[in-house]
Amino acid sequence: MESNTVNKALTSFTATGKTSDDGDIASVMGFSGFGKKARTFDLDAIFEQTRRTAIERSQHVLVQKSDSSSDSGSDSDSDSELIGPPVPPQHAAQQGDDDDELVGPPLPPGYTGSTAHSDDDDDEEGEAQDDDDDNPVKRIPDTHEITLQHGTKTVSALGLDPSGARLVSGGYDYDVRFWDFAGMDQALQAFRSLQPCECHQIKALQYSITGDVMLVVSGNAQAKVLDRDGFSVMECVKGDQYIVDMANTKGHTAMLNCGCWHPKIKEEFMTCSNDGTVRTWDLNSEKKHKSVFKPRSFQGKKVIPTCCTYSRDGKLIAAGCQDGSIQIWDRNLSVHTKFHCRQAHTPGSDTSCLSFSYDGTMLASRGGDDTLKMWDIRNFRKPVNGVSGLTNYFSMTDCCFSPDDKLLVTGTSVKKDEGNGKLVFFDRISFQRVYEIDVTNASVVRCLWHPKLNQIMVGTGNGLVKVYYDPVKSHRGAKLCVVKSKRKEKHAEALTQDYIITRKFLYTQVCSVELRYEDCGGHLSAVNSDVQETI
């Protein structure tokens, strides 16, 4: 019966949607109540109170900021003001020392240093390092050097592979020597020496951009390509010297002067010769040249190119000629020159080297008239800078740019016992002589500044190859071999011949003495002398 009463109460509650008093329902259902009543929150009132509190705090902070700025005249106090509960008294007492404290564990008791001084020292070191970076002379690696003995005659060619692991040198003694920095010890001996062109002087050596093959230019008419171990890969064909037009021959007909690889295409290289042509070759086609360029004088006559080079992007071909001119062609257009300066150097002198800057806008030329000049490709009529008095006795004296493109380097020549050959450094912009190195008591012919190793290789007139490096600024190269001790030499023991005396040996000796006694007619003096000689 109680269940029927509860069902009626619930039915009336659901039908009308209104509830009766808690006491009536509890009395009907037979218990005192439903338990604790859930708390109700007025969210709108809470949000409104929070908004007003935030506004009041913001106004209070603004007033304090305005007061502190008016009193001190700076914003340091306002910037350090914190929004939130007040700072504890102990922390407020130490607030003035917060800037000097270090983050981390406390310093040891015996430490008396000052962080302010250390910061100042760090700043000074940083400024000194910045000064070294700004001064290109400080980056010249000349604190240490090693000497490689190529021979006794002039080192006329130097080549270094792109990785800087292997150096190759060639000279007037027809030899080509291979030097491996990783395999050498302090004895500094070449691991291979050969004569690839027999009795012809070596004019130029250069590794390709991949470093797997090497170009050899000598005094004959045919250039050779060798692999890294010195074995022949290709030999250019020789042209027909009885044909008048050199463009119709398949190769050079006279002595070569210079050669180099293309900086982007690994199969292409270039040579120039006394036949008055500059030819490009393909490594996969040795039967004929790829294209031919013919320098011409002001009257249209043939002139001999003494040096040649590619631009850094490989789009231009430049040649220095015996009439003193510098002629530049587009690599794809071999008929007319793109840039031409007819009086770059003194006519009749051999321009020994042309070198493009790393940014490709400047060209340096080393003349046989003892000058070094800088040219702007965009305005090729006259040199930007030039310097004279740099003695040059060789037709292959080098000039090159530093890896950072801020310095220009060349060598000077001297006569025998008349001074030292020097490696001279010029600032690219001002063209002032900023540094020089006394190399040896002979001419400085070849110089090479490798960008990866940051080491300078120098070939001299007395058969030496010097490598300048800095233990801190340089990488690998000569640093690998100077730390290795010399290998112990194996001494071959000289073995003296030992005679084995046997009965048969003694019997033969006695018989020979008896025969000699009989032949001498019984004279013992003669027999004794013969016996002594036998013994």
Side-chain angles (χ1 to χ4, degrees), residues 68 95 164 177 189 240 260 266 323 336 361 367 467:
S68 61
Q95 186 174 2
R177 294 181 181 270
Q189 297 293 326
D240 189 353
C260 61
K266 64 178 182 179
D323 63 344
H336 300 290
T361 60
V467 181

Side-chain angles (χ1 to χ4, degrees), residues 364-405:
S365 62
R366 183 71 164 98
D369 53 358
D370 302 340
T371 61
L372 176 66
K373 296 183 179 181
M374 180 87 71
W375 307 83
D376 191 344
I377 299 299
R378 296 161 294 186
N379 185 12
F380 203 63
R381 295 181 181 179
K382 59 181 181 179
V384 178
N385 286 307
V387 62
S388 59
L390 302 174
T391 310
N392 184 9
Y393 295 149
F394 295 88
S395 61
M396 67 281 297
T397 301
D398 265 335
C399 65
C400 63
F401 286 89
S402 61
D404 58 2
D405 232 5

Side-chain angles (χ1 to χ4, degrees), residues 119-134:
D119 294 340
D120 295 339
D121 295 339
D122 294 339
D123 295 340
E124 292 177 359
E125 292 177 0
E127 292 177 359
Q129 187 175 3
D130 293 340
D131 294 339
D132 293 344
D133 294 339
D134 295 337

